[in-house]
Each structure stands twice: as structure tokens, then as C-alpha cells.
Amino acid sequence: MSHVGYVLGLADDALVAAQRLGEWCSRAPEMEEDIALANIALDQLGVARMLLTYAGELEGAGRTEDDLAYLRSAHEFRNVRLVELDNGDFAVTMAKLLFLSVYQRLLYDRSIGVGDERVAAVAAKARKESAYHVDHSSRWVVRLGDGTEESNERMQAAVDLVWPYTDQLFEVDPDVHALSVAGVIVDPSTLRPAWLAAVDAVLAEATLTRPLDSDSSVVRRGEHTEALAKLLAEMQVLHRAHPGARW
């Protein structure tokens, strides 16, 4: 995976996460939560737009952020499978958001000082937003995990379901490792110890058990679940039906 692939991976994580969170509009358990998830989705979309624009410039093929968002097929996306999973119930969404947002917060914090100034600038803007995402998801995981017997069972089931997909957050290929050694970007694999410490603290407060680690070793090479193709079909339908249209 090249430098462009790395930036696309970060962009696609945010873009697909935004699309999934947006599906909760008018469906969240509380009106306040409806607004909160919409705002988090917009935060993710803002990051995705900046990174997609930059990826297009790095690629040098004249593709815009819209081209990259709406005119790529599923196998061209570089997001982790965690973000594309169906929302499931509210507990599944909160588990997904917790695991992703802790990762993003750590990544953005450490990316502020990297050699890639564009990535550093995006990270500087996104770090405060991601800190809120961590706080929001943590509160819900604790509320559900340390709530009733049923809410604890459902929150534990959500954690168990989502956990195997977290390994991919930290997988890197030789190109990314070389860029990180040169100080251009952050090596995601170095984030795992801090990520585990942060997640373990939330799970402990929520009286939840961390699942055993899986042996997954899938890097960002366009391997996805069936859920992504369905998500993209909905997200891209208007743009593909009216190519080049301006609003």
C-alpha cells in the first residue's frame, strides 16, 4: 500500500463510518442521541472530505473527492471492515464507535508531528472531535454494560461480535512501515498498546469482558464484507444516476 493508499484508508474509514452513523437519523433511542450521532457522522464526513481531496492530489489522476467517494467500487475502498459492518442494534453501534474512535484519537494525536504536513493538519483539526466521540461512546458502553441484566448481556454480545474486526486497525504492510520509519506517517501497529489500555478501562467500568484476541491478519487491500457493497449501492446511487450533475 502506497502513500496514497494510506491516506485513502484513513479517508475511507471516516467516510464509511459517517454513512453508517447517518443511518441512525430518526431511529436513535432518544431525540438527543439522534442529534448526537448525526453530529458525529458530520465530523467523520468532514475528515473524509479533506483526506479524499488530498488523496486525489497525491494520486495525480485528476480525481476529485466526489470521484473517489462515488465512483469507486467496493474492492477499491481501503477502509477497515469494522466500519462497514451493519449497525445492528444500538449496542453494536456503540461498540463499533468506541473501538474506532479510540483508534482515531490516538492516530490523530500522534499524526500532528508527522512529516506529511497535510495529514498533520487534518489530524490537528480532527483530534478534538475524536476525543468527543470517545467520550460519547464510552458513556453509552458503560451505561449499557453496567445497567440492567438485559442491557449488560446485549452490550457484551455486541463487544463479542465486533471485537474480531478490530485487529485490522493495526495491520500494516511494508510500504506503510517504511513511510513511518521515515517519519512521514504514523505506523498504526504502534497504537495497539495504548488502544488496548483505553478500551480495557472502559470495558472494566462497564463490567464487560474483553474477548480473546483473534488471529486475523487482513491488511487494507480491498477485502470486504458483503455489507460494504450494499452500503455503497445506496450511498452512490444518486451520483451514478446523474453523473456530472451540479446542485
Side-chain angles (χ1 to χ4, degrees), residues 210-223:
R210 191 227 291 181
L212 296 175
D213 290 334
S214 68
D215 57 358
S216 171
S217 60
V218 178
V219 295
R220 298 172 184 260
R221 291 177 180 163
E223 298 177 16

Side-chain angles (χ1 to χ4, degrees), residues 116-180:
D116 187 325
E117 295 181 356
R118 289 284 290 277
V119 170
V122 173
K125 180 183 183 302
R127 64 187 301 205
K128 292 182 180 180
E129 297 171 348
S130 63
Y132 165 70
H133 303 169
V134 172
D135 180 70
H136 186 82
S137 56
S138 297
R139 288 174 183 271
W140 270 111
V141 170
V142 171
R143 180 177 174 182
L144 295 173
D146 196 29
T148 66
E149 180 178 353
E150 180 183 358
S151 70
N152 173 273
E153 291 177 354
R154 294 178 70 168
M155 193 67 244
Q156 183 67 61
V159 170
D160 293 344
L161 174 69
V162 174
W163 187 263
Y165 295 93
T166 61
D167 283 352
Q168 194 182 17
L169 291 167
F170 310 103
E171 294 293 338
V172 296
D173 65 15
D175 290 337
V176 169
H177 179 69
L179 288 169
S180 67

Side-chain angles (χ1 to χ4, degrees), residues 18-240:
Q19 182 72 9
R20 277 290 182 233
L21 289 170
E23 294 173 359
W24 277 102
C25 285
S26 78
R27 295 182 175 89
E30 302 171 352
M31 183 179 295
E32 183 178 356
E33 186 62 19
D34 201 287
I35 302 302
L37 290 180
N39 284 332
I40 293 173
L42 287 173
D43 290 342
Q44 294 281 5
L45 182 60
V47 171
R49 292 189 62 189
M50 289 185 287
L51 290 172
L52 286 173
T53 297
Y54 181 40
E57 294 172 6
L58 284 174
E59 182 186 49
R63 292 201 286 183
T64 67
E65 60 175 283
D66 283 350
D67 293 332
L68 291 170
Y70 297 122
L71 298 178
R72 284 183 296 156
S73 59
H75 75 274
E76 295 176 284
F77 272 71
R78 292 293 177 265
N79 59 279
V80 291
R81 292 179 294 181
L82 170 69
V83 296
E84 70 196 37
L85 298 176
D86 289 332
N87 282 330
D89 63 15
F90 190 69
V92 171
T93 291
M94 286 301 106
K96 288 173 55 182
L97 182 58
L98 173 66
F99 298 153
L100 175 68
S101 59
V102 171
Y103 165 78
Q104 288 179 325
R105 185 197 64 188
L106 293 168
L107 179 68
Y108 296 151
D109 281 348
R110 297 193 187 181
S111 293
I112 291 176
V114 297
D116 187 325
E117 295 181 356
R118 289 284 290 277
V119 170
V122 173
K125 180 183 183 302
R127 64 187 301 205
K128 292 182 180 180
E129 297 171 348
S130 63
Y132 165 70
H133 303 169
V134 172
D135 180 70
H136 186 82
S137 56
S138 297
R139 288 174 183 271
W140 270 111
V141 170
V142 171
R143 180 177 174 182
L144 295 173
D146 196 29
T148 66
E149 180 178 353
E150 180 183 358
S151 70
N152 173 273
E153 291 177 354
R154 294 178 70 168
M155 193 67 244
Q156 183 67 61
V159 170
D160 293 344
L161 174 69
V162 174
W163 187 263
Y165 295 93
T166 61
D167 283 352
Q168 194 182 17
L169 291 167
F170 310 103
E171 294 293 338
V172 296
D173 65 15
D175 290 337
V176 169
H177 179 69
L179 288 169
S180 67
V181 170
V184 178
I185 57 176
V186 172
D187 182 344
S189 66
T190 64
L191 304 177
R192 188 173 180 82
W195 182 86
L196 281 173
V199 168
D200 279 347
V202 175
L203 295 181
E205 186 177 354
T207 66
L208 299 170
T209 302
R210 191 227 291 181
L212 296 175
D213 290 334
S214 68
D215 57 358
S216 171
S217 60
V218 178
V219 295
R220 298 172 184 260
R221 291 177 180 163
E223 298 177 16
H224 297 285
T225 67
E226 292 182 359
L228 181 63
K230 296 177 182 178
L231 179 148
L232 293 180
E234 180 176 337
M235 186 182 82
Q236 298 175 339
V237 61
L238 186 62
H239 190 90
R240 288 181 180 271

